[in-house]
Amino acid sequence: MIDRRRLAELLDRERGEFVVRNPRSHTAYQRSEHLFGRVPMTWMNKAAAGFPVYLDRARGARVRDIDGHDYVDLCLGDTGAMAGHSPLATVAAVQRRFAELGGASAMLPTEDAEWVGAELTRRFGMAAWSFALTATDANRWVLRLARAVTGRPKVLVNSYCYHGTVDESLIVVGPDGRGVSREGNVGEPVAVTETSRVAEYNDLAGLERELAHGDVAAVLMEPALTNIGIVLPEAGYLDGVRDLTRQYGVLLVNDETHTFSAGPGGCTRAWGLEPDLVTIGKAIAGGIPAGAYGMSAELAEQLRSRDDLDLIDMGGVGGTLAGNALSVAATRATLEHVLTNDAFAGMTSRADRFTGGVQHVIDERELPWSIAQLGARAEYRFTSPAPRNGSESHAAADQDLDDYMHVYLANRGILLTPFHNMALMCPETTDADVDLHHQVFVAAVDDLIG
Ligand SMILES: Cc1ncc(COP(=O)(O)O)c(C=O)c1O
């Protein structure tokens, strides 16, 4: 259906235009000779046009690059800025904690922490919370706790999941149905099959087959996959996961880092889920690094009663800066004033508008594409029907089409997350922002299909 020659020509044209449009970013990139991969972190090289635009400033749903272009930012730091860039309430709390009171990292508790713990309990239902600086660390630490409590060595994840740079999660279902290391896995400490098991999302039979070995401490999962496109649960799947994990004595961890987009308490609250642990990071502190993990009262009690576990010093759970006063103050302000119930209602309504618009274009032009939505987040895929699991979604990837869409949009003032076609709404995203995307999306499609 898509004329690949035309796509290649258009992609060349758009990439050429991107270079001409962004001379300062291009020069900054070429001059960065002391950075590994020319960027502060190598994943910033995931740029459809060969180099990223460089940030000048950002506020709310807007970003300006160093060449002076303004963007509607639908990437929002791949969720790190779901509260909007530098939300005023968070800025004020950071200013007060860091500049006025001082003591960003004194390794002493602040009263804000209990407020945040109580709020996270109200939202996600877990009784006891602890802090990290990233969602990766929140995940790494709950896996240690789960192994300690169950006395079992392994972790089960879904194929093509992403939970941060967690060694145990870099496993996929191989061609013969068994787990294999994910392609490109960098320096795994031991074969990932020694630490992990894997099942396809939406596959209860596959999950049961793996859990029946009796060596899995925890299932770590996103309630809906969001990192290989959005893959939504089929009816009964999440209930089935809970039943099976209970049946086999396995702890269930909901990683809500991205699925937080589903509402103020993520999918856990929106869908009435009952995990044993919840992990979260990225957006909760409005752009200041923070992560958190919560556990059930029962689990907290079990851990507290174990004298053999060193949870205070060298046991492998914790970091010097975790729970620091600045991150906690920012988290409090963000949850109290920014990512509120009202904000989620508005963000979801913008995402509804986005999804409806894209679906209309797909229907009208009879494109073999699909779009999925999870609250404030929507994502289009160049395949239809929408994939049911991570492997299907991985197989359906179309890098050239992704790149074309990304560069086309960037050249016309819209940023999508560089990893896929995800569009996220923050409290300050407007209907007009969504409509601008729609207009440019229609133009990109019509240029392509003629
Ligand atoms: C579901 C999920 N969990 C954890 C992480 C890791 O977050 P961070 O890179 O901030 O540690 C990510 C990052 O994309 C994620 O999508």
Side-chain angles (χ1 to χ4, degrees), residues 43 78-79 133-139 162-166 222 226-227 255-259 279 281-282 290:
W43 45 254
D78 196 22
T79 306
L133 283 182
T134 64
T136 298
D137 268 351
N139 283 328
Y162 188 70
H163 296 286
T165 50
V166 174
E222 290 188 284
T226 66
N227 283 294
D255 180 345
E256 290 275 16
T257 304
H258 277 188
T259 50
T279 56
K282 293 201 182 187

mmCIF file of all heavy atoms in Angstrom, residues 43 78-79 133-139 162-166 222 226-227 255-259 279 281-282 290, ligand 1:
data_model
loop_
_atom_site.group_PDB
_atom_site.id
_atom_site.type_symbol
_atom_site.label_atom_id
_atom_site.label_comp_id
_atom_site.label_asym_id
_atom_site.label_seq_id
_atom_site.Cartn_x
_atom_site.Cartn_y
_atom_site.Cartn_z
ATOM 1 N N TRP A 43 21.260 7.377 24.311
ATOM 2 C CA TRP A 43 19.938 7.224 23.688
ATOM 3 C C TRP A 43 19.441 8.520 23.049
ATOM 4 O O TRP A 43 18.496 8.517 22.289
ATOM 5 C CB TRP A 43 18.902 6.617 24.620
ATOM 6 C CG TRP A 43 18.845 7.164 26.022
ATOM 7 C CD1 TRP A 43 19.288 6.534 27.143
ATOM 8 C CD2 TRP A 43 18.324 8.422 26.458
ATOM 9 N NE1 TRP A 43 19.075 7.337 28.244
ATOM 10 C CE2 TRP A 43 18.479 8.490 27.856
ATOM 11 C CE3 TRP A 43 17.723 9.493 25.798
ATOM 12 C CZ2 TRP A 43 18.070 9.579 28.605
ATOM 13 C CZ3 TRP A 43 17.323 10.591 26.551
ATOM 14 C CH2 TRP A 43 17.509 10.613 27.930
ATOM 15 N N ASP A 78 9.575 11.764 27.089
ATOM 16 C CA ASP A 78 9.137 10.363 27.158
ATOM 17 C C ASP A 78 8.527 10.072 28.537
ATOM 18 O O ASP A 78 8.836 9.071 29.179
ATOM 19 C CB ASP A 78 10.295 9.410 26.842
ATOM 20 C CG ASP A 78 9.790 8.006 26.513
ATOM 21 O OD1 ASP A 78 8.622 7.865 26.121
ATOM 22 O OD2 ASP A 78 10.562 7.041 26.663
ATOM 23 N N THR A 79 7.695 10.991 28.978
ATOM 24 C CA THR A 79 6.888 10.913 30.211
ATOM 25 C C THR A 79 7.514 11.654 31.390
ATOM 26 O O THR A 79 6.821 12.033 32.328
ATOM 27 C CB THR A 79 6.541 9.465 30.623
ATOM 28 O OG1 THR A 79 5.922 8.800 29.524
ATOM 29 C CG2 THR A 79 5.568 9.405 31.792
ATOM 30 N N LEU A 133 15.578 7.348 42.881
ATOM 31 C CA LEU A 133 15.732 8.533 42.025
ATOM 32 C C LEU A 133 15.229 8.285 40.617
ATOM 33 O O LEU A 133 15.009 9.223 39.856
ATOM 34 C CB LEU A 133 17.202 8.968 41.963
ATOM 35 C CG LEU A 133 17.710 9.720 43.179
ATOM 36 C CD1 LEU A 133 19.146 10.141 42.978
ATOM 37 C CD2 LEU A 133 16.845 10.955 43.467
ATOM 38 N N THR A 134 15.089 7.026 40.255
ATOM 39 C CA THR A 134 14.607 6.684 38.915
ATOM 40 C C THR A 134 13.676 5.483 39.047
ATOM 41 O O THR A 134 13.728 4.738 40.036
ATOM 42 C CB THR A 134 15.766 6.261 37.986
ATOM 43 O OG1 THR A 134 16.354 5.055 38.508
ATOM 44 C CG2 THR A 134 16.830 7.339 37.856
ATOM 45 N N ALA A 135 12.886 5.291 38.005
ATOM 46 C CA ALA A 135 12.019 4.113 37.966
ATOM 47 C C ALA A 135 12.857 2.851 37.835
ATOM 48 O O ALA A 135 12.503 1.793 38.375
ATOM 49 C CB ALA A 135 11.053 4.239 36.803
ATOM 50 N N THR A 136 13.979 2.955 37.125
ATOM 51 C CA THR A 136 14.878 1.793 37.024
ATOM 52 C C THR A 136 15.263 1.303 38.414
ATOM 53 O O THR A 136 15.160 0.109 38.718
ATOM 54 C CB THR A 136 16.165 2.170 36.257
ATOM 55 O OG1 THR A 136 15.827 2.571 34.937
ATOM 56 C CG2 THR A 136 17.140 1.004 36.199
ATOM 57 N N ASP A 137 15.700 2.233 39.248
ATOM 58 C CA ASP A 137 16.128 1.825 40.595
ATOM 59 C C ASP A 137 14.953 1.311 41.421
ATOM 60 O O ASP A 137 15.108 0.354 42.184
ATOM 61 C CB ASP A 137 16.836 2.976 41.311
ATOM 62 C CG ASP A 137 18.338 2.928 41.075
ATOM 63 O OD1 ASP A 137 18.821 1.918 40.509
ATOM 64 O OD2 ASP A 137 19.040 3.886 41.446
ATOM 65 N N ALA A 138 13.800 1.944 41.285
ATOM 66 C CA ALA A 138 12.628 1.435 42.012
ATOM 67 C C ALA A 138 12.402 -0.032 41.620
ATOM 68 O O ALA A 138 12.164 -0.894 42.478
ATOM 69 C CB ALA A 138 11.400 2.289 41.702
ATOM 70 N N ASN A 139 12.508 -0.324 40.336
ATOM 71 C CA ASN A 139 12.315 -1.709 39.879
ATOM 72 C C ASN A 139 13.409 -2.637 40.400
ATOM 73 O O ASN A 139 13.132 -3.745 40.863
ATOM 74 C CB ASN A 139 12.273 -1.762 38.351
ATOM 75 C CG ASN A 139 10.937 -1.275 37.811
ATOM 76 O OD1 ASN A 139 9.908 -1.453 38.461
ATOM 77 N ND2 ASN A 139 10.950 -0.662 36.649
ATOM 78 N N TYR A 162 9.680 -2.901 28.687
ATOM 79 C CA TYR A 162 10.800 -2.058 29.110
ATOM 80 C C TYR A 162 10.529 -1.587 30.530
ATOM 81 O O TYR A 162 9.461 -1.044 30.813
ATOM 82 C CB TYR A 162 11.002 -0.847 28.180
ATOM 83 C CG TYR A 162 12.267 -0.095 28.519
ATOM 84 C CD1 TYR A 162 13.508 -0.662 28.265
ATOM 85 C CD2 TYR A 162 12.230 1.137 29.143
ATOM 86 C CE1 TYR A 162 14.690 0.000 28.610
ATOM 87 C CE2 TYR A 162 13.410 1.810 29.485
ATOM 88 C CZ TYR A 162 14.631 1.230 29.211
ATOM 89 O OH TYR A 162 15.796 1.877 29.555
ATOM 90 N N HIS A 163 11.485 -1.831 31.404
ATOM 91 C CA HIS A 163 11.351 -1.392 32.795
ATOM 92 C C HIS A 163 12.589 -0.612 33.227
ATOM 93 O O HIS A 163 12.951 -0.599 34.399
ATOM 94 C CB HIS A 163 11.138 -2.597 33.713
ATOM 95 C CG HIS A 163 9.859 -3.330 33.444
ATOM 96 N ND1 HIS A 163 8.625 -2.848 33.811
ATOM 97 C CD2 HIS A 163 9.612 -4.493 32.795
ATOM 98 C CE1 HIS A 163 7.674 -3.682 33.431
ATOM 99 N NE2 HIS A 163 8.242 -4.698 32.803
ATOM 100 N N GLY A 164 13.263 0.031 32.246
ATOM 101 C CA GLY A 164 14.519 0.689 32.544
ATOM 102 C C GLY A 164 15.663 -0.288 32.332
ATOM 103 O O GLY A 164 15.479 -1.387 31.807
ATOM 104 N N THR A 165 16.847 0.122 32.782
ATOM 105 C CA THR A 165 18.017 -0.722 32.557
ATOM 106 C C THR A 165 18.144 -1.756 33.683
ATOM 107 O O THR A 165 19.113 -1.776 34.437
ATOM 108 C CB THR A 165 19.282 0.135 32.455
ATOM 109 O OG1 THR A 165 19.322 1.021 33.579
ATOM 110 C CG2 THR A 165 19.272 0.979 31.189
ATOM 111 N N VAL A 166 17.154 -2.596 33.755
ATOM 112 C CA VAL A 166 17.102 -3.651 34.764
ATOM 113 C C VAL A 166 17.594 -4.929 34.092
ATOM 114 O O VAL A 166 16.971 -5.409 33.139
ATOM 115 C CB VAL A 166 15.642 -3.834 35.251
ATOM 116 C CG1 VAL A 166 15.520 -5.020 36.185
ATOM 117 C CG2 VAL A 166 15.134 -2.556 35.921
ATOM 118 N N GLU A 222 4.058 -3.950 33.106
ATOM 119 C CA GLU A 222 3.206 -2.780 32.932
ATOM 120 C C GLU A 222 1.788 -3.317 32.735
ATOM 121 O O GLU A 222 1.595 -4.245 31.942
ATOM 122 C CB GLU A 222 3.582 -2.009 31.679
ATOM 123 C CG GLU A 222 4.891 -1.280 31.724
ATOM 124 C CD GLU A 222 5.033 -0.393 30.482
ATOM 125 O OE1 GLU A 222 5.309 -0.928 29.394
ATOM 126 O OE2 GLU A 222 4.851 0.815 30.598
ATOM 127 N N THR A 226 3.650 -0.155 27.098
ATOM 128 C CA THR A 226 3.700 1.185 26.500
ATOM 129 C C THR A 226 4.998 1.453 25.763
ATOM 130 O O THR A 226 5.167 2.503 25.167
ATOM 131 C CB THR A 226 3.581 2.293 27.576
ATOM 132 O OG1 THR A 226 4.754 2.240 28.406
ATOM 133 C CG2 THR A 226 2.340 2.149 28.416
ATOM 134 N N ASN A 227 5.913 0.523 25.843
ATOM 135 C CA ASN A 227 7.234 0.806 25.288
ATOM 136 C C ASN A 227 7.511 0.091 23.972
ATOM 137 O O ASN A 227 8.612 0.179 23.444
ATOM 138 C CB ASN A 227 8.309 0.442 26.321
ATOM 139 C CG ASN A 227 8.419 1.499 27.412
ATOM 140 O OD1 ASN A 227 8.820 2.624 27.152
ATOM 141 N ND2 ASN A 227 8.015 1.163 28.627
ATOM 142 N N ASP A 255 4.402 -1.888 37.221
ATOM 143 C CA ASP A 255 5.256 -0.737 36.925
ATOM 144 C C ASP A 255 4.372 0.317 36.263
ATOM 145 O O ASP A 255 3.975 0.177 35.112
ATOM 146 C CB ASP A 255 6.403 -1.175 36.007
ATOM 147 C CG ASP A 255 7.343 -0.025 35.664
ATOM 148 O OD1 ASP A 255 6.982 1.148 35.878
ATOM 149 O OD2 ASP A 255 8.446 -0.307 35.151
ATOM 150 N N GLU A 256 4.077 1.368 37.012
ATOM 151 C CA GLU A 256 3.130 2.398 36.552
ATOM 152 C C GLU A 256 3.845 3.636 35.989
ATOM 153 O O GLU A 256 3.224 4.682 35.829
ATOM 154 C CB GLU A 256 2.226 2.827 37.712
ATOM 155 C CG GLU A 256 1.223 1.777 38.154
ATOM 156 C CD GLU A 256 -0.070 1.808 37.327
ATOM 157 O OE1 GLU A 256 -0.086 2.410 36.232
ATOM 158 O OE2 GLU A 256 -1.062 1.222 37.815
ATOM 159 N N THR A 257 5.126 3.499 35.708
ATOM 160 C CA THR A 257 5.907 4.663 35.273
ATOM 161 C C THR A 257 5.281 5.358 34.061
ATOM 162 O O THR A 257 5.217 6.585 34.009
ATOM 163 C CB THR A 257 7.350 4.222 34.968
ATOM 164 O OG1 THR A 257 7.862 3.592 36.138
ATOM 165 C CG2 THR A 257 8.234 5.389 34.596
ATOM 166 N N HIS A 258 4.851 4.589 33.087
ATOM 167 C CA HIS A 258 4.189 5.172 31.912
ATOM 168 C C HIS A 258 2.672 5.066 31.993
ATOM 169 O O HIS A 258 1.951 5.947 31.521
ATOM 170 C CB HIS A 258 4.653 4.446 30.639
ATOM 171 C CG HIS A 258 5.949 4.959 30.096
ATOM 172 N ND1 HIS A 258 6.457 4.552 28.884
ATOM 173 C CD2 HIS A 258 6.840 5.844 30.593
ATOM 174 C CE1 HIS A 258 7.607 5.172 28.660
ATOM 175 N NE2 HIS A 258 7.866 5.948 29.687
ATOM 176 N N THR A 259 2.176 3.966 32.573
ATOM 177 C CA THR A 259 0.727 3.761 32.616
ATOM 178 C C THR A 259 0.048 4.708 33.606
ATOM 179 O O THR A 259 -1.184 4.742 33.680
ATOM 180 C CB THR A 259 0.397 2.295 32.962
ATOM 181 O OG1 THR A 259 1.149 1.923 34.127
ATOM 182 C CG2 THR A 259 0.763 1.372 31.815
ATOM 183 N N THR A 279 5.595 0.260 41.231
ATOM 184 C CA THR A 279 6.771 1.117 41.041
ATOM 185 C C THR A 279 6.394 2.271 40.127
ATOM 186 O O THR A 279 5.503 2.145 39.279
ATOM 187 C CB THR A 279 7.956 0.343 40.422
ATOM 188 O OG1 THR A 279 7.535 -0.253 39.183
ATOM 189 C CG2 THR A 279 8.470 -0.724 41.342
ATOM 190 N N GLY A 281 8.066 6.366 38.505
ATOM 191 C CA GLY A 281 9.174 7.333 38.460
ATOM 192 C C GLY A 281 8.819 8.421 37.469
ATOM 193 O O GLY A 281 7.652 8.770 37.322
ATOM 194 N N LYS A 282 9.837 8.932 36.803
ATOM 195 C CA LYS A 282 9.668 9.923 35.735
ATOM 196 C C LYS A 282 8.822 11.129 36.125
ATOM 197 O O LYS A 282 9.329 12.108 36.627
ATOM 198 C CB LYS A 282 9.102 9.248 34.474
ATOM 199 C CG LYS A 282 10.080 8.269 33.829
ATOM 200 C CD LYS A 282 9.742 8.021 32.380
ATOM 201 C CE LYS A 282 10.679 7.010 31.744
ATOM 202 N NZ LYS A 282 10.490 6.874 30.321
ATOM 203 N N ALA A 290 13.024 11.504 40.454
ATOM 204 C CA ALA A 290 12.433 10.834 41.616
ATOM 205 C C ALA A 290 11.773 9.545 41.161
ATOM 206 O O ALA A 290 11.243 9.471 40.061
ATOM 207 C CB ALA A 290 11.392 11.724 42.296
HETATM 208 C C1 LIG B 1 7.610 1.272 32.282
HETATM 209 C C2 LIG B 1 8.949 1.862 32.582
HETATM 210 N N1 LIG B 1 9.561 1.550 33.713
HETATM 211 C C3 LIG B 1 10.759 2.042 34.024
HETATM 212 C C4 LIG B 1 11.406 2.912 33.175
HETATM 213 C C5 LIG B 1 12.750 3.456 33.547
HETATM 214 O O1 LIG B 1 12.696 4.792 33.832
HETATM 215 P P1 LIG B 1 14.069 5.568 34.094
HETATM 216 O O2 LIG B 1 14.815 5.488 32.796
HETATM 217 O O3 LIG B 1 13.657 6.943 34.424
HETATM 218 O O4 LIG B 1 14.766 4.858 35.176
HETATM 219 C C6 LIG B 1 10.810 3.263 31.968
HETATM 220 C C7 LIG B 1 11.491 4.155 31.020
HETATM 221 O O5 LIG B 1 11.064 4.371 29.923
HETATM 222 C C8 LIG B 1 9.540 2.729 31.667
HETATM 223 O O6 LIG B 1 8.913 3.034 30.527
#
